[in-house]
Amino acid sequence: MLDIALKISITLILLSILLNAYRMTVGPDMPDRILALDTMYVNSIALIVLMGLWLNTKTYFEAALLIAMLGFISTVAVCKYILRGDIIE
């Protein structure tokens, strides 16, 4: 039963990543594209955690934590660049 639930959730998260990729390429404004990129890395974290549950290994959880930290820092850096035009003051 858990195997079926994991397969369904993995396919739904892959679908949401595809929809985020579409919004990122077609997005009308730059903030929409940044928000789509931010949502895409959150969805990729969820996908990696689900793969870790499915394969029953701890390595994927560590990778998800690294991606979460890098994603947060990159989102802050991109927003700071758009608002001020410079990342490091």
Side-chain angles (χ1 to χ4, degrees):
M1 186 70 183
L2 182 65
D3 192 41
I4 295 170
L6 283 173
K7 287 180 182 178
I8 291 172
S9 59
I10 285 172
T11 56
L12 290 175
I13 288 178
L14 283 174
L15 177 69
S16 68
I17 288 175
L18 287 174
L19 291 173
N20 282 328
Y22 173 76
R23 177 53 58 195
M24 195 170 63
T25 57
V26 179
D29 295 333
M30 187 59 74
D32 291 331
R33 292 179 178 171
I34 293 172
L35 187 61
L37 183 66
D38 189 43
T39 308
M40 188 181 292
Y41 92 80
V42 170
N43 287 335
S44 67
I45 291 169
L47 183 66
I48 291 172
V49 167
L50 287 174
M51 289 297 292
L53 285 173
W54 190 33
L55 297 174
N56 200 14
T57 181
K58 295 179 183 179
T59 308
Y60 288 99
F61 298 111
E62 293 174 4
L65 285 172
L66 286 173
I67 290 175
M69 288 188 295
L70 290 174
F72 174 74
I73 291 170
S74 66
T75 301
V76 169
V78 168
C79 290
K80 197 171 181 182
Y81 177 73
I82 288 175
L83 288 176
R84 297 184 185 163
D86 193 17
I87 296 173
I88 300 172
E89 296 174 355

